[in-house]
Amino acid sequence: MKQSITGFHAIEEKVRSACESGKTDGLSLYYSKIGPRVKKILDVAKTAGIPCSQCDTKMLDSLVQNLPDVARDHRGIVLCAEGNIDQNQNEVNFDTWIAQAAVSDAPSTILVLDSITDPHNVGAIMRSSDQFGVNLVIMPNRNSVGNVSDNEIIARSSAGASSYVPYTITKNLNRAVQKIKEAGFWIYGADAGGESVQNLTFPAKTCIIMGSEGTGISRLLEEQCDSIVSIPTCGKIDSLNVSVATGVLLYERYRQSLS
């Protein structure tokens, strides 16, 4: 399977991530003109041994023709990836990860995304997860994002953070949360009407569940929560965008970890 990736941030971080991991097989760069941003990316790619080819705009257009409209703005550079490159980098095995977390005393933050289908939101959430030290993001393989087009939007919306944040895709989100709880994590569901995050002290092992803007957290997941947490606001509309709300909660979790 061949993927085309656009966006300066997304390409640069994908190249840097591949360079650091040494997993550059299947990657190739195509560019039309060499501007400052393109030159910076090319320098890293060439150091990593990633093939770089100069071509015309018409060829770049052909490489992105199957992407969603928002991702077709290649701005003169496209990264092509063949095979399961993403899967080999920051996708982790959940059972292995949670088994290690269960015997570790180190503080850890897990973020569970329940039925969040907008890839722009997922990308923004991945960016916040990178900035505020989330150790693992968990998404279901149903009722969520997951196709190649989504991946391109996520990469752009995350400004490349999706190349770094550890994540896993699970078939059974309810069972995954059960294992998280058995590993010693406290489970917090985000929803209006819950305990104000201002009055909450997150424990060393914290799991935060974010639901979709339309339906919220599923009933089965909500039943597993130790507490429902909310963000006090003063606006006239119902609630914050899910990616913004996630960023607020992750920041508070991070802030508390520093004190």
Side-chain angles (χ1 to χ4, degrees), residues 28-34 38 42 51-64 74-80:
S28 54
L29 263 176
Y30 298 89
Y31 64 97
S32 55
K33 297 180 181 180
I34 302 181
V38 172
L42 290 176
C52 303
S53 303
Q54 190 165 19
C55 60
D56 57 24
T57 302
K58 186 176 180 180
M59 180 174 176
L60 295 180
D61 291 342
S62 69
L63 291 174
V64 301
H74 52 68
R75 302 179 69 183
I77 187 168
V78 177
L79 176 66
C80 291

Side-chain angles (χ1 to χ4, degrees), residues 172-182 185-189 207 209 217-228:
N172 191 326
L173 205 57
N174 295 319
R175 180 56 184 149
V177 172
Q178 287 176 5
K179 290 184 177 181
I180 291 169
K181 203 165 189 177
E182 291 167 1
F185 284 77
W186 286 73
I187 314 297
Y188 297 90
C207 172
I209 303 177
I217 300 170
S218 68
R219 179 183 58 81
L220 291 177
L221 285 180
E222 186 173 351
E223 288 175 354
Q224 296 196 63
C225 292
D226 295 296
S227 180
I228 300 298

Side-chain angles (χ1 to χ4, degrees), residues 46-119:
K46 290 175 180 177
T47 300
I50 296 173
C52 303
S53 303
Q54 190 165 19
C55 60
D56 57 24
T57 302
K58 186 176 180 180
M59 180 174 176
L60 295 180
D61 291 342
S62 69
L63 291 174
V64 301
Q65 63 182 348
N66 293 324
L67 297 181
D69 291 343
V70 69
R72 290 181 192 169
D73 181 16
H74 52 68
R75 302 179 69 183
I77 187 168
V78 177
L79 176 66
C80 291
E82 296 190 33
N84 295 322
I85 292 175
D86 287 339
Q87 189 173 7
N88 293 332
Q89 288 184 25
N90 56 320
E91 183 173 0
V92 304
N93 179 281
F94 172 73
D95 289 332
T96 300
W97 192 96
I98 200 65
Q100 293 172 344
V103 297
S104 173
D105 293 328
S108 191
T109 304
I110 297 175
L111 179 63
V112 175
L113 306 184
D114 180 22
S115 302
I116 297 177
T117 57
D118 186 342

Side-chain angles (χ1 to χ4, degrees), residues 76-205:
I77 187 168
V78 177
L79 176 66
C80 291
E82 296 190 33
N84 295 322
I85 292 175
D86 287 339
Q87 189 173 7
N88 293 332
Q89 288 184 25
N90 56 320
E91 183 173 0
V92 304
N93 179 281
F94 172 73
D95 289 332
T96 300
W97 192 96
I98 200 65
Q100 293 172 344
V103 297
S104 173
D105 293 328
S108 191
T109 304
I110 297 175
L111 179 63
V112 175
L113 306 184
D114 180 22
S115 302
I116 297 177
T117 57
D118 186 342
H120 295 91
N121 279 332
V122 174
I125 287 170
M126 293 295 270
R127 188 170 186 175
S128 294
S129 296
D130 172 66
Q131 291 296 295
F132 299 130
V134 171
N135 301 96
L136 182 66
V137 175
I138 303 177
M139 294 176 280
N141 64 349
R142 296 183 61 187
N143 299 322
S144 185
V145 295
N147 58 49
V148 172
S149 295
D150 287 338
N151 292 339
E152 307 313 322
I153 297 174
I154 290 170
R156 289 174 67 98
S157 301
S158 72
S162 59
S163 296
Y164 292 99
V165 178
Y167 74 95
T168 189
I169 306 295
T170 180
K171 294 180 179 180
N172 191 326
L173 205 57
N174 295 319
R175 180 56 184 149
V177 172
Q178 287 176 5
K179 290 184 177 181
I180 291 169
K181 203 165 189 177
E182 291 167 1
F185 284 77
W186 286 73
I187 314 297
Y188 297 90
D191 203 357
E195 179 181 5
S196 172
V197 69
Q198 293 177 313
N199 302 325
L200 179 68
T201 300
F202 288 111
K205 291 185 176 182

